[in-house]
Amino acid sequence: MASPRLRGALRILLLATGHFACSGRWSGPPDILIVSVDTLRADHVGAYGHAAARTPNIDALARQGTLFRQATTPFPRTTPGLASLLTGLWAHHHGSREVGRSMDDVPTLGSVLAASGYEARGISANGSAGRSQGLDRGFAPFVDAADFKGWRAENTTARALTLLATANREKPLLFWVHYLDPHYPYEPPRGFKDQPPGDECHKLLAMRLHHQISVGQLHNDWRSAATRALPDCRGLYDAEVAYVDVEIGKLVAAWRKARGRGTLVVFTSDHGEHFGEDRVFYEHGPSVHDAGLRVPLIIGGVGARGRVDQAVARLEDVMPTLLSLARVPREDWPAMDGVDLSGRLAGSGAGDGGPAAAFAESGADLLVESYHRLRSGPSFSEHCVNGARFSLCEGGERGQGLYDHDLDPAREHDVSARHPEELARLRTLAERWPLNETRQRTIRTARFKLVEVPAEAGYDTRLYDLAADPGETRNVIADHEALAARLHAALDAWAARTPGQGAGTHTPEQVETLRALGYVE
């Protein structure tokens, strides 16, 4: 039997010399285009049923392939979510358990396909999804957000087309493009005509720019400012989605002209966005609510056209699915948590094969003013442990202090001397719940979702029937105790595999990127 190195050499030789059969038709592995859109809720895409959507190009991709209706991210923040897309691993296996944090040195879709004879090229408009985080691994060349001015989708498309034009026609191509729109702030270009006035949402952004409201106050609905702006912000979010859809249309048209042969197209997102769900506004990450967890996932170019798959699908399943479709031998696959979904692409029912459930964890709440969370704030700046009325905070310029966050939300008056019992209680609570490990976690089937939320006495466990209650508003655990017990046991077993490394440390460069994207003050 030939050695793995010899098999790899033979595959590369065949790829270089045998792309076309005698008929002139493509006979080699497929070209692969992956388009990911930052912060895109599945339920704001036309193909997923959003009546107000203007997404004809994304919808066309759905008509040409399989739409996975129940797809989720294992981590509702950019770096961990995209790392799972590109490695097939959960966050605690690829090493990035917070936005901006680098991956470990693990194989990626780009590196595995490159070793199998592919050329891999990529571009990312998000500064927390690039070279600094290791997401460029295997892609050569890779265009980082720092490499071009302006994060707008039109600039991303322009650079992507330049990158595409110089790709090697004699090798199969993996091409990944990550758009930043519609990440907050929701501001479509002024020249884009298909948008509402959005006065209240623009006013909210102006308050932030003029330091009349902090990042934490904005996303935590300070004085109901976010609630007042919600209709306008939703409208502007939809307009940004419509804008990026236009650019996706340009990219796909150019791709089909440049690579007129067997192609797989994957369309997805890193995570969704919250519009008040679980008390989070215009943000994502600290909650495992489906507003942030559910993502669009469309795979076209193989199998049935216009098919809707209702079974569980996950971002970590994309890499093994593509390796299978690219005909990479199984012995050359790295270890992955995801599973191959290619067998479901030709079906017509709810889907055969694949995972029975999806696991996910939230990130830490990086906004110190999120006093309704047990822990709030980033490890590299001021952070708190929060009770019903008081917060014990440290890590800032003022040192450790106890604050009455109801009467003193700006944390200006240390009341430690007046409330020693609260000080002692919150110190004990902080020891019980380490900052970076105080996270929500969930197990989700196609119908039910068990959520565990950190609370003073332990996890507060909730069960939702997503078919009857997609907004996750009614805890039905009392009606399904046996099911909840089984899901809880499975979630506990999954969580036990988490090494407890938390968010780790961010470099100064990564912290500045988070600040620019509005994750921290």
Side-chain angles (χ1 to χ4, degrees), residues 273-297:
E273 182 76 317
H274 286 243
F275 294 126
E277 298 90 351
D278 200 14
R279 299 176 66 179
V280 179
F281 285 82
Y282 320 133
E283 236 276 63
H284 45 267
S287 168
V288 293
H289 191 285
D290 265 13
L293 215 63
R294 192 162 160 248
V295 296
L297 177 60

Side-chain angles (χ1 to χ4, degrees), residues 105-174:
D105 187 12
V106 295
T108 67
L109 180 64
S111 64
V112 174
L113 287 181
S116 295
Y118 272 77
E119 181 177 20
R121 295 187 166 207
I123 178 171
S124 171
N126 190 324
S128 65
R131 283 191 293 268
S132 178
Q133 297 77 26
L135 297 187
D136 64 321
R137 196 171 303 137
F139 294 93
F142 181 88
V143 179
D144 194 271
D147 297 332
F148 60 101
K149 293 182 179 180
W151 50 266
R152 292 288 188 197
E154 57 204 78
N155 297 329
T156 306
T157 301
R159 290 302 300 264
L161 297 188
T162 299
L163 202 63
L164 178 62
T166 57
N168 190 340
R169 288 281 303 169
E170 299 305 314
K171 298 178 73 174
L173 176 64
L174 168 65

Side-chain angles (χ1 to χ4, degrees), residues 37-175:
V37 175
D38 211 290
T39 323
L40 179 58
R41 291 174 63 127
D43 61 0
H44 276 249
V45 174
Y48 281 83
H50 185 42
R54 287 92 72 197
T55 52
N57 295 296
I58 300 171
D59 299 345
L61 294 177
R63 290 192 297 271
Q64 295 157 11
T66 294
L67 178 149
F68 292 88
R69 189 167 291 281
Q70 300 293 336
T72 54
T73 179
F75 201 114
R77 279 197 170 127
T78 295
T79 320
L82 291 177
S84 290
L85 172 73
L86 296 176
T87 65
L89 297 172
W90 294 320
H92 55 272
H93 286 158
H94 62 55
S96 175
R97 288 186 66 214
E98 193 48 270
V99 62
R101 285 283 294 124
S102 300
M103 288 196 307
D104 294 337
D105 187 12
V106 295
T108 67
L109 180 64
S111 64
V112 174
L113 287 181
S116 295
Y118 272 77
E119 181 177 20
R121 295 187 166 207
I123 178 171
S124 171
N126 190 324
S128 65
R131 283 191 293 268
S132 178
Q133 297 77 26
L135 297 187
D136 64 321
R137 196 171 303 137
F139 294 93
F142 181 88
V143 179
D144 194 271
D147 297 332
F148 60 101
K149 293 182 179 180
W151 50 266
R152 292 288 188 197
E154 57 204 78
N155 297 329
T156 306
T157 301
R159 290 302 300 264
L161 297 188
T162 299
L163 202 63
L164 178 62
T166 57
N168 190 340
R169 288 281 303 169
E170 299 305 314
K171 298 178 73 174
L173 176 64
L174 168 65
F175 198 67

Side-chain angles (χ1 to χ4, degrees), residues 392-432:
L392 176 62
C393 305
E394 61 182 340
E397 296 178 356
R398 292 169 291 198
Q400 188 181 91
L402 181 72
Y403 304 97
D404 183 335
H405 58 242
D406 284 347
L407 300 177
D408 180 26
R411 306 175 308 285
E412 295 176 335
H413 306 288
D414 184 355
V415 294
S416 300
R418 280 187 281 160
H419 298 279
E421 72 290 346
E422 287 292 340
L423 181 64
R425 186 179 67 84
L426 290 176
R427 280 176 174 166
T428 300
L429 195 60
E431 292 176 0
R432 186 187 310 160

Side-chain angles (χ1 to χ4, degrees), residues 370-400:
S370 298
Y371 303 124
H372 60 286
R373 308 280 181 200
L374 192 60
R375 300 300 306 259
S376 62
S379 58
F380 51 78
S381 185
E382 188 176 17
H383 49 269
C384 304
V385 55
N386 304 300
R389 177 181 168 185
F390 294 95
S391 295
L392 176 62
C393 305
E394 61 182 340
E397 296 178 356
R398 292 169 291 198
Q400 188 181 91

Side-chain angles (χ1 to χ4, degrees), residues 104-330:
D104 294 337
D105 187 12
V106 295
T108 67
L109 180 64
S111 64
V112 174
L113 287 181
S116 295
Y118 272 77
E119 181 177 20
R121 295 187 166 207
I123 178 171
S124 171
N126 190 324
S128 65
R131 283 191 293 268
S132 178
Q133 297 77 26
L135 297 187
D136 64 321
R137 196 171 303 137
F139 294 93
F142 181 88
V143 179
D144 194 271
D147 297 332
F148 60 101
K149 293 182 179 180
W151 50 266
R152 292 288 188 197
E154 57 204 78
N155 297 329
T156 306
T157 301
R159 290 302 300 264
L161 297 188
T162 299
L163 202 63
L164 178 62
T166 57
N168 190 340
R169 288 281 303 169
E170 299 305 314
K171 298 178 73 174
L173 176 64
L174 168 65
F175 198 67
W176 172 44
V177 181
H178 183 68
Y179 290 95
L180 181 55
D181 321 68
H183 194 288
Y184 189 84
Y186 316 132
E187 287 191 299
R190 292 184 179 181
F192 184 67
K193 302 301 182 183
D194 185 12
Q195 60 177 297
D199 294 341
E200 286 296 326
C201 198
H202 288 309
K203 186 186 301 183
L204 190 63
L205 177 59
M207 290 173 63
R208 172 71 197 107
L209 294 176
H210 291 95
H211 306 288
Q212 297 169 335
I213 187 172
S214 70
V215 171
Q217 290 170 337
L218 187 157
H219 294 306
N220 282 291
D221 200 23
W222 177 71
R223 295 182 178 176
S224 300
T227 297
R228 284 194 301 273
L230 186 55
D232 282 0
C233 286
R234 279 183 179 272
L236 287 173
Y237 177 88
D238 281 345
E240 279 217 344
V241 175
Y243 163 63
V244 76
D245 180 84
V246 171
E247 295 303 315
I248 289 169
K250 295 176 184 176
L251 173 67
V252 171
W255 170 270
R256 287 176 174 156
K257 184 176 180 181
R259 314 292 295 192
R261 59 199 190 193
T263 289
L264 297 173
V265 178
V266 175
F267 175 80
T268 192
S269 179
D270 48 356
H271 53 74
E273 182 76 317
H274 286 243
F275 294 126
E277 298 90 351
D278 200 14
R279 299 176 66 179
V280 179
F281 285 82
Y282 320 133
E283 236 276 63
H284 45 267
S287 168
V288 293
H289 191 285
D290 265 13
L293 215 63
R294 192 162 160 248
V295 296
L297 177 60
I298 297 167
I299 299 179
V302 64
R305 296 166 68 91
R307 178 175 175 271
V308 176
D309 186 295
Q310 300 283 3
V312 172
R314 313 166 305 177
L315 281 189
E316 61 265 36
D317 299 327
V318 172
M319 179 170 168
T321 300
L322 292 179
L323 293 183
S324 176
L325 295 172
R327 304 196 289 276
V328 176
R330 293 276 176 152

